[in-house]
Amino acid sequence: MSQEHQDPDLNALSDEGGRIVAEELDILRRIQERLDREAQNAPGQIEDLDAQLIELRDALAEAKEEDQASLVEQMHQVAALSRTRGQGRDAPVDPKNPYFGHLRLREAKSSRQRDVLVGKRTLLDDGDGLSIVDWRNAPVSRLYYRYEEDDEYEEEFDARSLEGTVMIRRSVAVMDASLRRVSAPQGTFVSDRRGRWRDAVGAAKPSLEGGVGTAARVPTGQLGVHSDEDLPRADKHLQEITALIDKEQFNLITQPESGIVLIQGGAGSGKTTVALHRVAYLAYQDRRRFAPGKMLIMVFNEALVEYIRHVLPSLGIDGVPVTTYRRWSTQLLRKLKLRIPISHVDGVPDAVSRFKKHPVVLRMIDDRIGWQLEEAEELLKKRLGERAGAEAALAVWQRNVDLPPVVRAERTLDQIKADVSIPGPARAAAETALRAIRDDLRDVCDDWLELMTDSEALRTALREYAPGVFNDADTATIVRWCAAKAVLDEEPEAEAERDEDEAEERSEPSIDAEPVAPKGEADGDGEDGEAEATPPPRVRTLSTGHTVGLDPEDDAILLRLLQRKYGGLFLGGKRFEYEHIVIDEAQDLAPIEVRVLLDCATDGQSVTIAGDRAQKMIFDNGFVDWPQLLGDAGLPHVAIQPLKITYRSTRQVMELSRFVLGPLHSPEDALIAREGAPVGYYQFGDTGEAVAFLAEALRALMQREPTASCALVTRYPQQADVYHDALRIAEVPKLRRVGRQDFSFTPGIDVTDVRQVKGLEFDYVVILDPTIQNFPEVIEARHLMHIAATRAAHQLWLVCSGPPSKLIPEDLIVASLE
Ligand SMILES: Nc1ncnc2c1ncn2[C@@H]1O[C@H](COP(=O)(O)OP(=O)(O)OP(=O)(O)O)[C@@H](O)[C@H]1O
């Protein structure tokens, strides 16, 4: 039902609130009437946008100064529309949800006022002074994101400087064609479904002042801070987030298309939000270059894959592959058809995993390639001997020094073959040598086997490049485990005979291999199809009963070897690459993995890296801080862009989370978060008592706030099983046990363990049994408890049925006993 059919009741608002809301209702009505008119009058009519552009350009040349601003703006809008339509992806303004921001601008020169609305599509001004600008149309929407109400603005549009004052800046929520919320500097006003408007309380934005006095008051022992389920909440609708994006976030989203943007931000500061909006922004700027299939979003776990896939359509970028590193690398390696079967073994010893993620491996790869090239040159020289033309042939090889090794050998071979100025005998000798060199350089499986099984070289590298990192026992484990990989070099006879075609398929990758479309490679959809198309994964079983296969960490090593040898990854003769790559939660990747990803970006390296040093979950990748990761990944000069405001969690949650982090938290980070309900600590003698208390609180919560999401988070999965079973018996509604990242992202109660919840968000979080055993005073426990706590948007409880962890502030525990 649209707003016009309702009878809004503004009686409960102050005069100012009433005036603001009435003004917004009027604008919405005018826009909706116009959209109705357009839909009736000209269904399917396609405007000649090019003609409009030319008209506007001519008008601009002759326009009076006071009209220029509006004309330039319209030109931008038409140009943007034209770009979108040119790709056949036009979508009209959605009358149910036409815009989310409102600016009233007064131009300095003409003193004329115009209303510019910001939304997800463009609607040109048809003379009534109202237009909608696509938020991705940066020159215009920049005014919305960069300026506050009453600010004077000065912006360059196409080399013209436009000046004026922002008279009004409001964000609005239109849901199902009805205006439901208006946020203005004067206040936030909300309407229920029946059109009754009121002032919103407790909705203060995070600010440096801390919004004192706006905390939602919650009776002790009650889970839940919202009394009115009718109230639309900011954090549940991504479209609204687009309205709320702040200046710093917008600056990051609209960074130049090329180059690496590294975002460091605390939990809930909007890193993922910024990264996804950046993808949408780039796609809008250049749909051809940043087509969905040419971008990649790499996230930490399957739950985030699912969550982001849900979100992409609302940003207009569905079709962008979203995946995890593991899935991506395994699928890619299978497509590359190496002669070693791509199947992984479990139970990799910690020391081995740590070694394979350590930058030492990058150095070992570089060293190995260095030796190979030296040996190659020696061989070439030896074969050429004193023959006439030897120097000329050698000079060709040396001239190609900057090419990737395999390409260098191939190119040199071709050039020498074609160079008739080199006498025949020298040419023939060079050709023989170069063929052998090329074949040797191409064999990355051999490289990998050598790296793993040359025990002496391994020991030396560990000693030299990672002194003190691996002790003698670690080194022994690494050498032993890796040496066993030698067996992968042997093709079991039965298998080789069983399927000759298959063996053929697994031959060394070649730049001229059969074409395989890169699209779908990493989009996750191919997982099943992938399994069908690729030889079933196999491992070798030794007589000892041990299975030998690749370790998960080997994927990155093999991919890196291929990149170094071939100058990239090639599928079907084409470089496998992306126009833009998002790497989320980058602190949990190893430098070698980041390096592999970066080298999958096209020239210009358009990459967004987001992460938080405080949210480490992988502890064996050697991550200490960004400068070191960037250095190891070959990016020493990338600037780190901070996001400082916490949007997800309240000040109370963040204060507790900082205490939990202890020395891992950098004290210079200011805490900017909105006020909220106090963190609750509840101590019980045993689990049964805790369950009884929780069951009551959760039942009441689900009754009061049926749309709420709540996570009950344990340290270990088995503990989640226990709580889940007990709560189920206690008939807690909408209860789910989430054990394998299979969140439904719907209202209800998810019982899960801390490793599942990374990157996610819930209205309420209860950490179950934060005891001294579950969360001891060690780095890993600090990070894990911090991650669990910062998933809470509104309220956090700690429910403990054992001696409490030292990571919980003493005064919180004491207060709970009073
Ligand atoms: N400018 C903003 N105004 C209001 N809410 C915002 C803003 N930016 C982000 N948010 C909201 O804050 C929450 C956290 O955002 P997001 O998940 O992007 O943060 P993050 O930094 O990736 O978090 P984490 O590192 O904890 O996973 C989301 O609900 C998001 O919609």
Side-chain angles (χ1 to χ4, degrees):
M1 210 207 308
S2 88
Q3 193 70 40
E4 63 187 317
H5 303 302
Q6 293 185 354
D7 201 6
D9 175 0
L10 310 184
N11 288 328
L13 294 175
S14 62
D15 287 353
E16 189 169 44
R19 180 184 57 75
I20 290 172
V21 172
E23 204 166 50
E24 293 302 331
L25 286 167
D26 181 56
I27 290 179
L28 179 61
R29 180 189 51 75
R30 284 162 60 202
I31 287 287
Q32 283 171 334
E33 280 174 5
R34 189 170 146 206
L35 292 173
D36 276 354
R37 249 189 345 262
E38 289 191 358
Q40 278 164 18
N41 293 346
Q45 182 193 316
I46 299 191
E47 303 132 300
D48 184 348
L49 296 171
D50 288 343
Q52 278 195 36
L53 260 182
I54 293 169
E55 220 172 275
L56 284 168
R57 191 198 57 201
D58 294 346
L60 185 61
E62 291 160 16
K64 286 198 235 119
E65 237 177 77
E66 62 261 32
D67 293 330
Q68 284 178 355
S70 151
L71 285 169
V72 170
E73 187 190 300
Q74 291 224 35
M75 273 182 74
H76 272 290
Q77 295 178 25
V78 177
L81 259 187
S82 160
R83 265 203 307 272
T84 329
R85 291 190 179 166
Q87 303 294 313
R89 292 181 56 101
D90 174 35
V93 174
D94 178 3
K96 290 189 167 178
N97 187 358
Y99 56 89
F100 53 73
H102 173 201
L103 283 179
R104 181 166 297 154
L105 305 174
R106 190 178 58 216
E107 281 149 20
K109 287 187 180 129
S110 63
S111 294
R112 211 171 53 189
Q113 291 192 12
R114 292 180 299 128
D115 284 298
V116 178
L117 306 167
V118 185
K120 292 203 287 182
R121 301 282 172 225
T122 298
L123 185 73
L124 298 177
D125 185 346
D126 72 346
D128 65 352
L130 273 184
S131 62
I132 305 179
V133 181
D134 192 307
W135 74 270
R136 296 161 297 181
N137 188 3
V140 187
S141 62
R142 202 155 54 204
L143 295 178
Y144 176 77
Y145 288 112
R146 284 207 176 151
Y147 295 91
E148 300 288 332
E149 197 162 300
D150 293 332
D151 277 356
E152 313 260 300
Y153 66 85
E154 187 176 352
E155 286 283 334
E156 292 285 313
F157 288 103
D158 288 345
R160 282 161 208 266
S161 168
L162 298 182
E163 293 165 37
T165 309
V166 176
M167 307 296 294
I168 284 178
R169 186 199 181 280
R170 296 171 191 156
S171 79
V172 297
V174 181
M175 293 163 78
D176 214 10
S178 297
L179 188 66
R180 296 292 299 280
R181 191 176 62 213
V182 179
S183 296
Q186 298 79 7
T188 296
F189 314 104
V190 295
S191 153
D192 63 17
R193 286 202 187 98
R194 291 165 292 279
R196 285 187 311 226
W197 284 84
R198 61 180 172 77
D199 273 88
V201 279
K205 279 183 70 172
S207 73
L208 273 168
E209 294 78 37
V212 177
T214 57
R217 279 174 234 289
V218 191
T220 320
Q222 175 184 308
L223 189 58
V225 295
H226 296 280
S227 53
D228 182 359
E229 55 109 355
D230 237 5
L231 177 68
R233 277 187 221 137
D235 54 342
K236 291 241 167 130
H237 304 278
L238 197 85
Q239 179 260 335
E240 279 192 59
I241 298 307
T242 309
L244 300 177
I245 276 166
D246 69 33
K247 206 191 325 185
E248 278 68 36
Q249 293 176 324
F250 186 72
N251 285 344
L252 292 176
I253 290 166
T254 54
Q255 289 282 309
E257 295 175 2
S258 291
I260 293 169
V261 176
L262 188 145
I263 309 164
Q264 153 65 42
S269 57
K271 298 177 294 295
T272 310
T273 306
V274 167
L276 297 183
H277 278 80
R278 184 159 152 74
V279 169
Y281 174 81
L282 292 174
Y284 184 81
Q285 302 310 309
D286 188 343
R287 269 197 191 274
R288 215 177 289 271
R289 175 172 174 202
F290 298 106
K294 294 185 184 171
M295 297 196 273
L296 176 70
I297 299 174
M298 183 69 78
V299 297
F300 178 73
N301 58 27
E302 294 298 332
L304 271 166
V305 168
E306 223 19 65
Y307 168 72
I308 287 175
R309 282 207 191 132
H310 271 79
V311 157
L312 293 183
S314 67
L315 281 169
I317 45 168
D318 35 339
V320 179
V322 188
T323 187
T324 61
Y325 189 87
R326 263 307 151 255
R327 182 129 61 102
W328 175 82
S329 64
T330 306
Q331 289 185 351
L332 184 53
L333 271 178
R334 291 205 180 133
K335 284 250 155 103
L336 287 163
K337 299 188 172 82
L338 303 187
R339 69 181 165 88
I340 288 182
I342 306 304
S343 51
H344 296 118
V345 287
D346 295 329
V348 182
D350 288 349
V352 176
S353 175
R354 209 148 49 83
F355 152 64
K356 291 192 175 178
K357 291 176 175 177
H358 195 277
V360 69
V361 178
L362 282 164
R363 316 268 305 255
M364 286 169 68
I365 291 174
D366 288 348
D367 283 355
R368 176 165 173 81
I369 291 175
W371 299 327
Q372 279 183 324
L373 287 171
E374 277 170 26
E375 279 173 13
E377 191 160 317
E378 280 311 305
L379 180 71
L380 186 60
K381 280 184 185 158
K382 200 163 129 205
R383 286 283 160 85
L384 284 165
E386 301 293 314
R387 290 183 178 84
E391 266 177 30
L394 203 59
V396 181
W397 166 256
Q398 280 157 352
R399 240 191 349 257
N400 289 330
V401 62
D402 291 333
L403 294 173
V406 172
V407 183
R408 183 180 182 187
E410 288 171 342
R411 185 78 52 84
T412 309
L413 182 59
D414 289 346
Q415 289 169 344
I416 289 180
K417 265 205 249 171
D419 190 347
V420 287
S421 71
I422 301 174
R427 247 191 301 153
E431 278 177 35
T432 316
L434 284 164
R435 274 200 198 93
I437 290 168
R438 179 198 60 192
D439 293 348
D440 184 40
L441 288 171
R442 274 180 177 176
D443 190 352
V444 290
C445 290
D446 195 47
D447 292 326
W448 175 78
L449 283 159
E450 291 265 324
L451 283 177
M452 294 300 126
T453 56
D454 183 341
S455 305
E456 248 344 280
L458 199 54
R459 283 179 196 283
T460 311
L462 291 176
R463 226 181 8 251
E464 274 185 23
Y465 295 142
V469 178
F470 301 96
N471 61 27
D472 290 349
D474 291 338
T475 307
T477 307
I478 294 166
V479 168
R480 185 167 16 89
W481 181 269
C482 292
K485 305 290 178 195
V487 73
L488 291 174
D489 203 18
E490 299 150 17
E491 185 66 20
E493 237 168 75
E495 271 173 358
E497 276 170 19
R498 199 175 56 213
D499 191 342
E500 279 176 26
D501 291 343
E502 205 175 280
E504 176 98 334
E505 273 190 349
R506 275 177 276 120
S507 65
E508 206 50 41
S510 140
I511 297 183
D512 308 314
E514 278 292 297
V516 185
K519 192 180 175 310
E521 173 67 40
D523 62 7
D525 299 327
E527 182 92 292
D528 296 336
E530 187 68 22
E532 273 172 308
T534 332
R538 283 160 304 161
V539 289
R540 303 272 182 271
T541 305
L542 305 182
S543 52
T544 56
H546 280 91
T547 48
V548 180
L550 291 184
D551 302 334
E553 298 79 8
D554 285 322
D555 289 5
I557 301 176
L558 282 161
L559 290 172
R560 185 68 201 146
L561 276 164
L562 282 164
Q563 288 179 325
R564 286 286 279 110
K565 285 294 193 65
Y566 288 81
L569 301 172
F570 289 86
L571 274 170
K574 277 208 249 142
R575 199 165 193 278
F576 181 85
E577 55 191 4
Y578 300 94
E579 290 294 345
H580 187 78
I581 301 176
V582 169
I583 310 176
D584 200 12
E585 309 279 4
Q587 75 282 352
D588 282 333
L589 284 181
I592 188 167
E593 294 166 335
V594 174
R595 194 77 198 247
V596 165
L597 279 172
L598 292 174
D599 279 4
C600 285
T602 48
D603 281 353
Q605 283 197 316
S606 181
V607 178
T608 306
I609 304 178
D612 178 12
R613 49 175 104 78
Q615 290 187 68
K616 239 161 60 143
M617 189 165 262
I618 302 293
F619 299 95
D620 62 0
N621 64 353
F623 178 88
V624 182
D625 205 346
W626 296 115
Q628 169 251 1
L629 175 80
L630 291 170
D632 290 339
L635 301 168
H637 305 302
V638 169
I640 301 162
Q641 317 272 357
L643 282 179
K644 297 202 164 119
I645 301 179
T646 301
Y647 284 107
R648 177 185 303 122
S649 306
T650 60
R651 179 183 61 75
Q652 288 76 358
V653 170
M654 291 314 288
E655 268 177 4
L656 177 107
S657 307
R658 286 172 172 223
F659 183 90
V660 168
L661 276 182
L664 305 176
H665 160 247
S666 41
E668 68 270 17
D669 284 353
L671 200 175
I672 312 173
R674 71 186 192 286
E675 291 289 313
V679 173
Y681 177 85
Y682 302 94
Q683 177 74 53
F684 297 97
D686 64 38
T687 311
E689 234 184 296
V691 167
F693 165 80
L694 268 174
E696 199 177 316
L698 292 167
R699 275 195 302 262
L701 173 72
M702 283 294 110
Q703 208 162 26
R704 259 193 333 271
E705 295 182 38
T707 60
S709 62
C710 179
L712 307 186
V713 187
T714 60
R715 172 68 180 85
Y716 298 104
Q718 298 79 350
Q719 298 165 334
D721 287 336
V722 171
Y723 271 96
H724 175 258
D725 292 348
L727 289 168
R728 192 165 40 84
I729 292 166
E731 294 187 349
V732 170
K734 296 194 198 163
L735 195 68
R736 297 172 294 239
R737 170 74 182 94
V738 179
R740 297 166 57 89
Q741 312 267 310
D742 44 345
F743 292 93
S744 63
F745 302 105
T746 53
I749 300 160
D750 293 317
V751 189
T752 190
D753 68 275
V754 61
R755 292 200 170 264
Q756 310 284 320
V757 294
K758 167 115 161 167
L760 304 182
E761 163 169 319
F762 303 86
D763 291 327
Y764 307 112
V765 170
V766 181
I767 302 182
L768 297 172
D769 286 338
T771 59
I772 205 156
Q773 292 88 350
N774 287 332
F775 293 96
E777 271 180 294
V778 297
I779 289 178
E780 181 169 348
R782 286 185 190 278
H783 282 296
L784 292 178
M785 192 154 158
H786 170 81
I787 289 171
T790 54
R791 300 308 96 199
H794 300 299
Q795 195 183 9
L796 172 68
W797 274 9
L798 309 174
V799 172
C800 200
S801 59
S805 162
K806 292 266 183 285
L807 306 181
I808 302 171
E810 188 66 33
D811 51 355
L812 184 63
I813 299 171
V814 171
S816 78
L817 302 174
E818 284 163 3

